[in-house]
Amino acid sequence: MWKWLHPYANPETSYHLVGKLIPWFAVVSGALLTIGLFWGLLFAPPDYQQGDSFRIFYLHVPAASLSMGIYLGMAIAAFCGLVWQLRLAGAAVAAMAPVGAVFTAIALISGAAWGKPMWGTWWIWDARLTSELILLFLYLGVMALNSAFDDKIAAGKSAGILALVGVINLPIIKYSVEWWNTLHQGATVSKLGKPSMTLDMFYPFVFCFLGFAFLSAVIICIRFQSQILQHNVTRPWVKKLVTVEENKHAV
Amino acid sequence: MQFDSFSAFLDMGGYGFFVWLSYGSAFLLFAILLWSSLSGHKHTKQQIIKKLNRDEKLRQRAQQSSAGVEP
Amino acid sequence: MNSKPAMSYFTVLTFIIKRELTLAYRHKDDVLNPILFFIIVVTLFPLGIGPATNTLATIAPGVIWVAALLATLLSLDRIFKSDFNDGSLEQMLLSPHPTYIIVLGKVAAHWLITGLPLIFIAPVLAVSLHLDDNAYNAMMLTLLLGTPVLSFIGAIGAALTVRLKNGGVILSLLVLPLFIPVLIFATSTINTAAMNLPYQGQLAIIAALLVGAVTLAPFAISSALKVSTN
């Protein structure tokens, strides 16, 4: 049943497949982001409570949900790598970690910039913010471990184990932080209720979310390609590929 | 269109600083990430070419020296 | 094929713990330094914050636990490093005994060497920080249940970084975020106890973390060691 998938475990096949996907993903992401951001920033109606500051929503929420989605993807790749001994999985983990870290950082920064006008402070030790910050630390740990090894295969495997340990810990951390927060929070910050979102506010969000998702896919694919090359330096196909591209540049 | 003029768009109903701060920093971070990914890919290829050239040179030298010893 | 193993699992476990304790006895500095570090870090807080009794009493649980985290972190490097360097770690992994038992023995020994002394010193330091009288039992219980969790989680990081020359900094980056739940539940147990409220709930969660760590962490540690040694 899964036989059709086997050729893609070959680094050369996946390298070329990913290479073909990158331009398509880039075009789709560019189009969706252009539509979504113009719509969200210019045409969507302002929120009745938050005014125009709510337009940060179109950046903040996609970034926050993708930061968690990429971690999940990384953990799934790590799991496949450990169970089926796929070497490509190490490359995938290494490719996803920096992208996820950037999305987490953007979620934190935009959250702070949204919190200042709404809550009157850049940072509160709110459960969501704190667990997002810890997620950033987990990403940075995976990146640091991955770059600490000279041997690329060992690096991929170690980073994979850490990503899996992190994904088991993530619910515990989230639960503990939420619980800690309800105990410690003196002045309750009103979460401004859940504003019922109208459709003309919601459609641009869908565009933005998909646009950012494809953007992350583009960057992950590029990084995945260079990881594959670094994993397979001695293979004949890499030599051939690199020399062919070098000659193209020379001409 | 929700805004009457370009300056109103930039002002964002008084929240301009915060909105453009978040979008600006996000744009900057994405640009850095994309640039580092692309240049990293290029760098990887160059490293491999360098390694190939070095190996080739070593092989040639080894052949030359063995050829020099033989006669 | 001899179906009966030469040594029972329990014998292997005690053998490993005994070996580690003997080694620790011969390198007393390695054992004493984290404990000294623990004492000094706790002493620094009153000097930095001021001697006001009330302030010290409120921060006491957090200070003691953060210092315990850091002291554990400091001692993690030696769990596998010396065994890795002289090759005995590889021998242990090649032995017919399950790596689970070996790893369990090593982590248990690490806790006996560094975790247990912290528990004995903590009350003395708590007195100097004017910890509330009601909170002593809770503090001892959290340390008793919580420090083994730190040893288990820390050993994962130590196993991942054992091959690296200067893995210490990376080790702290990997391990400290994973310590956060223990810190949160432990300090809140002590704070609840100081307010004379029932704290069994939080204690039960720490116990659950311990059970989870004992069952799951050795698998992560052994697969990390396999990656590091081949």
Side-chain angles (χ1 to χ4, degrees):
Chain A
M1 182 182 155
W2 295 99
K3 269 233 158 93
W4 60 272
L5 206 62
H6 287 183
Y8 296 109
N10 176 353
E12 191 180 359
T13 323
S14 3
Y15 184 90
H16 291 298
L17 173 78
V18 168
K20 268 176 213 151
L21 287 177
I22 288 174
W24 290 103
F25 282 177
V27 169
V28 171
S29 142
L32 287 173
L33 278 180
T34 317
I35 298 171
L37 288 178
F38 265 92
W39 195 347
L41 285 173
L42 280 169
F43 297 99
D47 188 78
Y48 75 106
Q49 265 183 324
Q50 308 192 10
D52 286 313
S53 79
F54 114 96
R55 289 174 205 282
I56 297 174
F57 169 85
Y58 295 116
L59 174 70
H60 177 71
V61 177
S65 37
L66 283 170
S67 70
M68 286 177 253
I70 293 172
Y71 200 92
L72 192 65
M74 199 167 81
I76 291 170
F79 181 76
C80 296
L82 284 180
V83 173
W84 291 289
Q85 299 289 323
L86 295 176
R87 287 195 173 165
L88 279 180
V93 171
M96 281 189 224
V99 183
V102 165
F103 272 93
T104 318
I106 288 172
L108 283 171
I109 295 170
S110 60
W114 199 1
K116 180 69 186 162
M118 287 302 107
W119 300 335
T121 169
W122 293 101
W123 179 263
I124 49 168
W125 289 96
D126 165 81
R128 282 194 201 185
L129 283 125
T130 313
S131 42
E132 191 76 8
L133 184 67
I134 297 167
L135 183 70
L136 181 65
F137 294 155
L138 292 179
Y139 271 124
L140 294 179
V142 173
M143 285 164 67
L145 188 63
N146 189 61
S147 59
F149 284 90
D150 292 330
D151 171 11
K152 277 281 154 193
I153 291 166
K157 277 185 185 167
S158 309
I161 293 172
L162 184 68
L164 273 182
V165 172
V167 93
I168 295 170
N169 261 278
L170 215 52
I172 303 174
I173 292 173
K174 207 162 165 60
Y175 169 72
S176 68
V177 167
E178 247 158 51
W179 192 78
W180 158 79
N181 187 246
T182 45
L183 269 187
H184 281 248
Q185 208 168 43
T188 44
V189 175
S190 70
K191 271 278 168 71
L192 296 159
K194 260 228 162 99
S196 56
M197 189 167 283
T198 57
L199 281 179
D200 46 353
M201 277 172 157
F202 183 68
Y203 285 137
F205 165 72
V206 175
F207 276 89
C208 285
F209 179 79
L210 291 175
F212 281 118
F214 275 101
L215 180 64
S216 72
V218 170
I219 304 172
I220 288 170
C221 285
I222 297 171
R223 299 193 85 95
F224 185 55
Q225 275 198 322
S226 40
Q227 288 293 331
I228 292 179
L229 288 186
Q230 285 172 23
H231 276 242
N232 298 283
V233 179
T234 51
R235 297 296 155 92
W237 71 267
V238 175
K239 287 182 189 168
K240 209 176 131 195
L241 180 115
V242 173
T243 37
V244 165
E245 286 199 14
E246 172 77 355
N247 290 339
K248 236 188 259 168
H249 273 285
V251 173
Chain B
M1 187 78 91
Q2 294 292 330
F3 300 98
D4 305 326
S5 63
F6 188 67
S7 59
F9 173 63
L10 284 185
D11 188 50
M12 278 283 160
Y15 295 117
F17 173 69
F18 302 107
V19 174
W20 298 119
L21 175 72
S22 50
Y23 276 94
S25 54
F27 180 79
L28 193 71
L29 281 175
F30 278 129
I32 291 171
L33 182 67
L34 198 62
W35 177 80
S36 80
S37 307
L38 287 171
S39 69
H41 194 46
K42 212 185 238 171
H43 182 75
T44 309
K45 284 180 182 167
Q46 279 167 353
Q47 288 301 108
I48 295 174
I49 287 173
K50 259 187 204 161
K51 189 183 169 301
L52 284 179
N53 288 343
R54 207 166 46 225
D55 290 353
E56 184 67 21
K57 244 181 222 163
L58 282 175
R59 201 177 319 135
Q60 276 177 1
R61 201 161 298 161
Q63 267 175 1
Q64 275 174 3
S65 62
S66 65
V69 170
E70 264 176 39
Chain C
M1 286 290 274
N2 188 4
S3 62
K4 208 177 158 197
M7 281 194 266
S8 77
Y9 291 163
F10 188 73
T11 329
V12 178
L13 193 68
T14 43
F15 179 76
I16 296 220
I17 294 178
K18 256 183 217 158
R19 171 183 179 272
E20 295 291 316
L21 292 181
T22 320
L23 279 175
Y25 184 72
R26 289 188 191 146
H27 299 270
K28 293 188 191 68
D29 289 1
D30 287 355
V31 183
L32 284 176
N33 285 347
I35 299 163
L36 270 178
F37 177 81
F38 179 62
I39 298 169
I40 291 171
V41 167
V42 173
T43 322
L44 286 179
F45 275 89
L47 297 176
I49 290 168
T53 315
N54 286 340
T55 334
L56 287 179
T58 30
I59 61 160
V63 168
I64 286 174
W65 258 96
V66 169
L69 291 190
L70 295 176
T72 313
L73 190 72
L74 200 69
S75 65
L76 282 175
D77 214 30
R78 55 168 298 282
I79 295 192
F80 299 117
K81 198 88 182 187
S82 54
D83 282 351
F84 177 79
N85 285 340
D86 64 14
S88 46
L89 186 66
E90 217 157 331
Q91 294 299 320
M92 283 184 206
L93 293 177
L94 286 173
S95 72
H97 312 296
T99 27
Y100 187 98
I101 302 290
I102 294 168
V103 163
L104 197 66
K106 283 196 80 82
V107 176
H110 174 262
W111 178 73
L112 287 176
I113 295 162
T114 55
L116 209 54
L118 295 188
I119 300 176
F120 289 121
I121 297 169
V124 182
L125 295 172
V127 171
S128 75
L129 290 175
H130 307 287
L131 184 73
D132 198 286
D133 289 343
N134 303 318
Y136 279 87
N137 281 339
M139 186 191 71
M140 298 302 274
L141 284 172
T142 55
L143 283 170
L144 197 63
L145 291 171
T147 44
V149 183
L150 301 185
S151 290
F152 274 102
I153 296 175
I156 301 176
L160 284 169
T161 53
V162 70
R163 199 164 134 187
L164 303 171
K165 272 205 190 78
N166 37 11
V169 184
I170 295 172
L171 177 66
S172 56
L173 191 59
L174 307 186
V175 161
L176 283 178
L178 303 175
F179 281 173
I180 289 169
V182 183
L183 174 70
I184 289 175
F185 288 117
T187 48
S188 105
T189 312
I190 305 173
N191 281 328
T192 334
M195 287 185 280
N196 233 342
L197 295 169
Y199 54 84
Q200 280 79 5
Q202 290 98 306
L203 212 56
I205 293 173
I206 302 177
L209 289 178
L210 176 59
V211 173
V214 172
T215 41
L216 292 177
F219 289 111
I221 299 166
S222 32
S223 55
L225 284 178
K226 271 169 204 155
V227 171
S228 293
T229 47
N230 73 17

